[in-house]
């Protein structure tokens, strides 16, 4: 029964996301789940509590089943994080946690020391304030991480307190995946995880990494890479790459997207034009008024980037900055520790990081990760697991059928179960399958549903 309830809640997230109370009503009155009679929200909450208890074992078993089903390639794993906020006035009370952000048992409430990075809180509420990726720093949040294969399959999820720093997370994620005894993995992450400590940690053992570098960081590696001469090689319609040799232990690849370069230039031209209008005739203003305008522009990073102030306090367009930015249009720099991958594989591998971003969009727009209708931490964590299972269901369906989830959902939503009653009794009958429905079920290896689901003659 618990498995059926959890399946129904996962299906609800994928098809008609709602609160657990509404989900119980949906299961009872709007859909038919084989083997599941009418249910209520209490059954949903009990199933969620069990789901939280078995999370670690569940994740491993789900991965093994999916890997066999889809013959997954896990040589590249893409990792990224997001946050989701809560409409609360106050954050949760701080409580003792281990180095993975999980609650310490009551008998072991003495927190461990923070690590060298200082970003591992010993005491934290689960829903607490942090750097929001939804631009809602004013509300408590939690942090969620996702590891995705090159095929876009989300193989594992993590949840942390809302003030957990990104740099610490990748090290825990690597340790957790190591416990699954996978073969060599190339970790692909964005520049938010590119600290030297993280890079050193990711390449331990047989593993390697591909990470994005911040071009405006001014680091010696970035300066050296951008100063190297060389020709770009075309690898795709909108992608050119150039490998530069500046290290014996790491590879550096500059990628250039001509379309993105045109877009960057257009945005910069608009910003410079806007800034020009703002500072026009400001030489006539008093020093106080110019300072006031300077402060307002400073709050707008896009405009402030191209503004300079003369020794006399005059406001001018920074032409040197514009020229420097032109050299970065459409470019990004990748750092890779694998000495055998081609420059093309490095660039295309990093480009697939977009699969994680697509996963976050679907989590927030299709599965409705938020709002979260739970107060208890265990229930909130279970809610995230359900959203992961729903996303996993969606990705497996899309990968297997070659169709998008909205198309699949729309087509199968036309399949109905009718209940008919009369003097002789009651029966439930499924509508005749259309060819698109039959094709979808065949690709998914799902048996065609019986035409007659129930038959109850009237007692004589």
């Amino acid at each position: 029964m618990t498995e059926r309830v959890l399946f129904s809640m996962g299906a609800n997230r994928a098809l008609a996301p709602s609160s657990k109370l509404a989900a119980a009503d949906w299961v009872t009155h709007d859909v038919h789940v084989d083997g599941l009679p009418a249910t209520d929200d209490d059954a949903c909450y009990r199933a969620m509590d069990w789901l939280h208890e078995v999370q670690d074992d569940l994740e491993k078993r789900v991965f093994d089943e999916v890997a066999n089903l889809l013959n997954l390639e896990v040589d590249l794993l893409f990792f990224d994080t997001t946050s989701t906020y809560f409409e609360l006035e106050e954050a949760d009370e701080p409580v003792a946690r281990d180095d993975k952000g999980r609650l310490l048992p009551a008998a072991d409430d003495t927190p461990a020391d923070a690590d060298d990075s200082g970003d591992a809180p010993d005491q934290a509420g689960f829903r607490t304030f942090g750097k929001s990726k939804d631009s809602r720093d004013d509300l408590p949040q939690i942090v969620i991480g996702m590891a995705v294969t090159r095929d876009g399959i989300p193989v594992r999820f993590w949840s942390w307190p809302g003030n957990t720093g990104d740099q610490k997370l990748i090290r825990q994620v690597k340790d957790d995946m190591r416990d699954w005894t996978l073969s060599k993995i190339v970790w692909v992450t964005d520049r938010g995880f590119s600290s030297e400590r993280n890079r050193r940690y990711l390449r331990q053992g047989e593993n390697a990494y591909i990470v994005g570098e911040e071009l405006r960081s001014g680091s010696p590696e970035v300066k050296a890479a951008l100063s190297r001469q060389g020709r770009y090689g075309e690898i795709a319609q909108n992608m050119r790459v150039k490998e530069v040799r500046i290290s014996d232990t790491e590879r550096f690849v500059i990628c250039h997207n001509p379309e993105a370069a045109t877009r960057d230039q257009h945005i910069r031209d608009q910003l410079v034009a806007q800034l020009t209008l703002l500072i026009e005739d400001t030489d006539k203003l008093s020093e106080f008024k110019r300072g006031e305008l300077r402060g307002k522009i400073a709050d707008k990073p896009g405009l402030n980037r191209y503004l300079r102030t003369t020794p006399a306090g005059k406001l001018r367009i920074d032409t040197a900055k514009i020229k420097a930015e032109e050299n970065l249009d459409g470019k990004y720099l990748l750092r890779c520790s694998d000495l055998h991958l081609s420059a093309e594989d490095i660039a295309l591998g990093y480009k697939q990081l977009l699969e994680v971003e697509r996963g976050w969009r679907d989590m927030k727009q299709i599965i409705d990760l938020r709002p979260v209708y739970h107060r208890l931490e265990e229930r909130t964590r279970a809610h995230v697991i359900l959203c992961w299972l729903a996303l996993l269901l969606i990705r497996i369906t899309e990968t297997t059928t070659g169709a998008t989830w909205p198309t699949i959902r729309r087509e199968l939503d036309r399949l109905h179960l009718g209940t008919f009653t009369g003097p002789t009794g009651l029966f439930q009958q499924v509508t005749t399958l259309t060819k698109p429905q039959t094709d979808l079920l065949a690709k998914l290896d799902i048996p065609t549903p019986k035409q007659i689901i129930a038959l109850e003659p009237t007692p004589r």
Side-chain angles (χ1 to χ4, degrees), residues 49 108 158 162 179 192 227 245 247 267 297 342 350 352 362 443:
D49 293 341
D108 186 21
W158 292 263
D179 295 339
S227 66
R245 301 286 183 176
S247 170
I267 293 173
I297 295 175
S342 68
Y350 185 79
Q352 286 179 291
D362 286 354
K443 290 179 180 178

Side-chain angles (χ1 to χ4, degrees), residues 47-60:
M48 291 180 70
D49 293 341
W50 178 83
L51 182 63
H52 176 261
E53 292 176 4
V54 301
Q55 174 183 350
D56 293 340
D57 184 54
L58 171 75
E59 289 173 340
K60 182 62 171 68

Side-chain angles (χ1 to χ4, degrees), residues 81-260:
T81 63
T82 191
S83 58
T84 188
Y85 59 89
F86 298 78
E87 301 283 354
L88 303 173
E89 294 183 0
E90 297 181 356
D92 293 339
E93 288 292 325
V95 292
R97 298 182 179 278
D98 63 18
D99 59 357
K100 293 187 176 183
R102 296 183 178 181
L103 289 170
L104 286 171
D108 186 21
D109 58 359
T110 302
D113 293 336
D115 64 18
D116 295 338
S117 68
D119 62 359
D122 298 331
Q123 297 271 345
F126 192 52
R127 302 174 299 179
T128 193
F129 295 100
K131 179 58 179 176
S132 172
K133 299 193 177 183
D134 292 318
S135 300
R136 293 306 306 264
D137 290 353
D138 58 318
L139 294 174
Q141 65 174 21
I142 62 172
V143 174
I144 303 171
M146 176 166 56
V148 176
T149 69
R150 64 166 68 214
D151 300 311
I153 306 299
V155 293
R156 193 159 182 177
F157 255 73
W158 292 263
S159 299
W160 295 279
N163 60 349
T164 309
D166 274 355
Q167 292 290 350
K168 173 181 180 294
L169 303 184
I170 189 67
R171 301 192 290 274
Q172 178 194 328
V173 169
K174 180 179 182 295
D175 289 344
D176 288 347
M177 295 303 292
R178 180 186 60 197
D179 295 339
W180 287 8
T181 62
L182 300 175
S183 58
K184 176 181 176 179
I185 295 175
V186 178
W187 289 91
V188 186
T189 68
D190 210 343
R191 58 196 181 197
F193 305 95
S194 63
S195 71
E196 181 180 354
R197 183 180 181 187
N198 281 347
R199 297 197 307 270
R200 187 169 59 250
Y201 201 85
L202 287 179
R203 68 187 303 172
Q204 290 178 0
E206 296 296 324
N207 295 328
Y209 57 75
I210 301 172
V211 297
E213 283 289 307
E214 173 56 69
L215 281 178
R216 297 184 179 88
S217 66
S219 70
E221 293 91 348
V222 170
K223 290 180 179 178
L226 293 177
S227 66
R228 292 290 195 275
Q229 299 298 313
R231 300 181 61 181
Y232 285 95
E234 299 280 347
I235 65 171
Q237 183 177 1
N238 295 318
M239 178 73 69
R240 305 190 305 154
V241 298
K242 175 177 67 174
E243 182 169 0
V244 292
R245 301 286 183 176
I246 59 176
S247 170
D248 294 331
T249 58
E250 292 181 302
R251 312 268 302 284
F252 289 85
V253 176
I254 299 176
C255 303
H256 180 252
N257 184 325
E259 287 188 0

